[in-house]
Amino acid sequence: GALDGTHVLARVPRRMQQPFRGRRKDPTQNVMVAVDFDMKFTYVLAGWEGSAHDALILDDALKRNDGFVVPEGKFYLVDAGYGCRNGFLPPYRGVRYHLSEYSPRNRPTNTRELFNPRH
C-alpha cells in the first residue's frame, strides 16, 4: 500500500494553537493515512499537531495497542519524510524524485533515477 500524511484545518483553543501551526499560519492536524492498492483506507491516525514530523507520527502509530501493522511480507510506499525501515519503502534520497524534474530530453540516467518517479 501507500502511506502519507496530510494537513487538515483544526479548531483548537487559542492557548494550544502554536504547536498546531506547521508551514501555514492556520492551525492544522497532521493526519497519517494508509491505503491499499485498491485505494481503500486501511488505517487513519488523526489528532497530531500540524508541526509534528511524519516519522514521529508513524512511530506512535506502530506503538499503539490498536496501532498500524504492516502485514508479513508486505510493504508500504512512503515519502522521504518517513525514512527507510522494515516494511516501508521511501524514494532514494538525493536523487531526482518529482515527475516535473523529468522530460523527454531529461530522462533518468541510472537505476535510482528510474526508481524514484515510478515510486
Side-chain angles (χ1 to χ4, degrees):
L3 183 132
D4 202 0
T6 188
H7 288 262
V8 177
L9 285 176
R11 296 187 99 175
V12 295
R14 191 175 303 275
R15 63 178 164 45
M16 296 174 58
Q17 284 186 2
Q18 193 56 40
F20 283 84
R21 284 195 175 89
R23 290 173 263 160
R24 295 175 169 62
K25 66 176 184 156
D26 295 320
T28 63
Q29 285 187 26
N30 192 341
V31 180
M32 188 188 83
V33 177
V35 296
D36 62 19
F37 283 107
D38 292 324
M39 298 304 290
K40 294 181 181 173
F41 290 98
T42 58
Y43 188 82
V44 176
L45 178 58
W48 273 89
E49 300 94 345
S51 61
H53 193 277
D54 291 341
L56 177 67
I57 298 169
L58 177 58
D59 282 339
D60 178 56
L62 293 169
K63 291 175 183 172
R64 290 174 176 245
N65 290 335
D66 62 344
F68 183 64
V69 177
V70 178
E72 186 71 30
K74 303 292 182 182
F75 64 90
Y76 281 82
L77 296 177
V78 296
D79 66 27
Y82 292 98
C84 191
R85 57 196 300 170
N86 287 339
F88 301 94
L89 185 62
Y92 286 101
R93 288 184 179 270
V95 177
R96 291 186 293 166
Y97 177 75
H98 294 96
L99 291 176
S100 63
E101 298 173 311
Y102 296 91
S103 70
R105 292 184 182 167
N106 195 14
R107 294 181 178 190
T109 60
N110 58 50
T111 56
R112 289 179 177 200
E113 283 190 358
L114 185 61
F115 173 83
N116 276 1
R118 291 180 178 179
H119 177 273

